[in-house]
């Protein structure tokens, strides 16, 4: 009985595919438009290429926002839900719940860079700089193009006296996003301080 049902379903599916194929075969081809629609920029590569062409921070902001949005996509509906709830809890001032939710994210999805990035921000806000440093390091290991995390990690290293390490990270961030606010100034200052020369 079950075998007959499976065969019936397969036959129905095959008939539907044949009908769809026949419909496509008789559909006249669409007339070419006079101008093709501009292609949507959907890849990180394209956005990073556009970012390098920006001539001002204002011009770069929308592209930075798109990239940050791409970085936030986890590929897991449950992780995305936890992140949404963490953001809502933080917005409501419930930092304890927000932190618990983000810790749950990093436990169930330890290779999701943005979980660590958000966690670092919460740890730094709570005054736990050691934990924030570890979380930022995990973020940039998992996503070496997370320019904001590179910049934040550089800020922390500079605050703790590692000017050489900070300079390397600022340069990496600036290479990805030449208009990243404050990074160019930091590179100028630290190049003078660390290497004894102007750039």
């Amino acid at each position: 009985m079950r075998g007959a049902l499976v065969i019936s379903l397969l036959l129905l599916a095959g008939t539907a595919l044949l009908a769809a194929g026949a419909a496509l075969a008789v559909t006249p081809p669409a007339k070419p438009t006079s101008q093709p629609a501009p292609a949507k920029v959907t890849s990180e590569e394209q956005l990073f290429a556009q970012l390098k062409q920006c001539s001002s921070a204002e011009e770069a902001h929308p592209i930075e926002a798109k990239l940050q949005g791409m970085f936030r996509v986890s590929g897991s509906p449950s992780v995305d839900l936890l992140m949404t709830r963490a953001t809502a809890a933080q917005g409501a001032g419930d930092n304890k719940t927000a932190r618990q939710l983000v810790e749950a994210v990093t436990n169930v999805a330890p290779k999701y860079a943005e979980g660590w990035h958000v966690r670092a921000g919460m740890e730094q806000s709570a005054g736990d700089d050691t934990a924030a440093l570890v979380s930022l390091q995990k973020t940039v290991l998992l996503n070496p193009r997370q320019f904001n995390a590179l910049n934040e990690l550089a800020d922390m290293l500079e605050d703790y006296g590692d000017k050489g390490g900070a300079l390397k990270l600022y340069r990496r961030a600036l290479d990805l996003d030449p208009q990243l606010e404050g990074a160019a100034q930091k590179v100028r200052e630290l190049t003078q301080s660390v290497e004894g020369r102007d750039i």
Side-chain angles (χ1 to χ4, degrees):
M1 183 78 170
R2 180 178 270 177
L5 180 61
V6 170
I7 291 171
S8 297
L9 289 172
L10 287 172
L11 287 172
L12 283 172
T15 305
L17 284 172
L18 287 172
L24 286 173
V26 296
T27 304
K31 291 180 181 176
T33 57
S34 57
Q35 288 186 343
K40 264 191 176 175
V41 175
T42 55
S43 79
E44 282 184 25
E45 295 299 330
Q46 290 172 310
L47 289 170
F48 274 110
Q50 284 187 355
L51 205 50
K52 287 182 185 269
Q53 302 302 315
C54 292
S55 57
S56 68
E58 292 73 25
E59 189 182 347
H61 285 321
I63 300 168
E64 291 168 345
K66 283 181 188 176
L67 284 164
Q68 294 300 327
M70 287 181 166
F71 294 159
R72 277 191 292 273
V73 175
S74 71
S76 164
S78 58
V79 169
D80 290 342
L81 180 61
L82 286 169
M83 290 294 283
T84 300
R85 288 186 176 169
T87 302
Q90 195 173 25
D94 187 355
N95 293 330
K96 182 180 177 184
T97 299
R99 188 164 176 174
Q100 288 172 340
L101 289 165
V102 170
E103 285 173 358
V105 166
T106 56
N107 287 335
V108 298
K111 293 186 177 179
Y112 173 50
E114 281 309 291
W116 292 106
H117 191 202
V118 171
R119 183 172 173 160
M122 290 181 177
E123 289 163 340
Q124 196 169 14
S125 294
D128 191 351
D129 283 358
T130 302
L133 275 167
V134 171
S135 294
L136 281 171
Q137 287 170 340
K138 288 183 180 179
T139 303
V140 299
L141 281 172
L142 292 166
N143 182 3
R145 300 201 299 181
Q146 192 5 318
F147 46 86
N148 282 335
L150 286 165
N151 203 44
E152 291 158 18
L153 184 54
D155 285 343
M156 291 192 79
L157 291 181
E158 185 182 6
D159 289 344
Y160 281 94
D162 184 359
K163 293 184 177 182
L167 179 58
K168 286 178 188 174
L169 291 174
Y170 284 129
R171 283 176 172 161
R172 278 177 56 192
L174 205 56
D175 185 53
L176 292 164
D177 182 359
Q179 298 299 328
L180 189 60
E181 285 187 37
Q185 178 65 31
K186 291 288 189 177
V187 167
R188 280 192 293 275
E189 290 169 4
L190 288 173
T191 298
Q192 178 65 38
S193 172
V194 172
E195 299 173 354
R197 62 183 178 84
D198 292 321
I199 58 168

